[in-house]
Amino acid sequence: RLRIEIYNEFGATASNPPIDPSSIKFAKNMVVSFSLTGITGNLKNNAAGSYVAGLEYSDPSWGGNYWSNLSMGKYEAMVTGDGTYTVWMEVSSQANGAIVFCVDIAGLGADIADWSKVGVEVNAIKLDADVEQAVNQSIVSFGNKDGNGVDGRIEIYNEYSSSGAAAPGAYNSSMKFNGMMLVDFTLQGIEGNLKDGASGNYRTELSYADQSWDPSYWGGASYGGATVTGDGTYQVYTYLKGNSEGAVVWTIELYNLWVQLADPSKVNVTINKVITPGKY
């Protein structure tokens, strides 16, 4: 793996730390932004091409910590070449200081052809950052995806649908972020409202395109989805390459749900929160 060592009491930075480890104090979260250069065009033949990055952190008590398992969870980043990336963590109690503070990138080290070309910069360390985006709940709706008669769709915003007509460009000036987008939502009106023989399990994914259509995500990743099994609260997420601003399409797809509902009008949706750790 490739390691970005910000501070490690047991590593090379112990004798000449680039930060004051005692200054790392937070009660809710820590967000780290970093940039990589010299990766694009510098990978070995048959390299994977995409690599999970995550935080490895502990305060001196070893109580406040996060040890990424480098699978693509909501705290990680998907590195695909040169660019700026955001990783983060949350804690349930105060963290004071740092004894280990690194970003690891799984598998990348073995795939680099020429290490002398690689550059790393830590752009920002944000403590107790504001990571949430405001959502206009009044234009959120549940309906049928593209009129296909099969799939359900939660429409947070769609320039080409009712929400776009009600609030044109609703997020184009207010929502700016790098990397991860996570949507936490609650569904009601599914239980007791399914047709006989319904599966009761519905694959669910986020769809999103920023106002310029790039970055965008249209599902299909091996991470970030959910399985809706009835009324309840769920999370979906994706990691977008680069910076995103605004939205032209922003939906959650619930595959095969619409066709199995007895009365779709009974389904209600609440967007509880939208988390973008790389908010700027």
Side-chain angles (χ1 to χ4, degrees), residues 68-258:
S68 175
N69 62 10
L70 299 178
S71 61
M72 192 56 215
K74 65 182 181 180
Y75 299 118
E76 278 68 48
M78 184 62 75
V79 171
T80 54
D82 294 355
T84 298
Y85 299 92
T86 302
V87 292
W88 72 303
M89 62 174 286
E90 295 178 288
V91 291
S92 57
S93 59
Q94 181 73 34
N96 293 304
I99 193 168
V100 176
F101 186 8
C102 306
V103 177
D104 281 350
I105 307 175
L108 178 56
D111 281 356
I112 292 172
D114 183 352
W115 275 86
S116 69
K117 295 180 179 180
V118 177
V120 175
E121 181 177 358
V122 176
N123 305 309
I125 300 169
K126 297 181 180 180
L127 307 174
D128 291 332
D130 174 12
V131 299
E132 292 195 26
Q133 300 282 353
V135 173
N136 184 349
Q137 184 66 40
S138 70
I139 61 172
V140 173
S141 63
F142 176 78
N144 178 215
K145 172 180 163 60
D146 298 330
N148 68 7
V150 176
D151 304 318
R153 166 173 278 180
I154 299 168
E155 184 175 292
I156 303 171
Y157 180 78
N158 187 340
E159 189 171 303
Y160 306 98
S161 188
S162 59
S163 55
Y171 297 99
N172 287 352
S173 61
S174 62
M175 186 166 68
K176 300 178 181 181
F177 64 97
N178 174 272
M180 175 68 64
M181 171 188 277
L182 179 147
V183 180
D184 183 292
F185 64 98
T186 297
L187 286 166
Q188 294 178 310
I190 295 176
E191 292 178 7
N193 188 25
L194 294 173
K195 296 176 181 177
D196 291 343
S199 69
N201 294 276
Y202 306 97
R203 183 170 61 90
T204 303
E205 295 182 304
L206 185 66
S207 293
Y208 169 83
D210 94 334
Q211 61 182 301
S212 69
W213 292 96
D214 182 26
S216 65
Y217 174 70
W218 307 109
S222 60
Y223 66 88
T227 300
V228 167
T229 56
D231 295 354
T233 297
Y234 302 90
Q235 292 184 343
V236 290
Y237 62 89
T238 191
Y239 194 90
L240 297 144
K241 176 67 183 292
N243 293 339
S244 299
E245 297 189 0
V248 64
V249 175
W250 186 11
T251 60
I252 299 170
E253 321 298 357
L254 301 98
Y255 301 108
N256 296 310
L257 175 59
W258 182 267

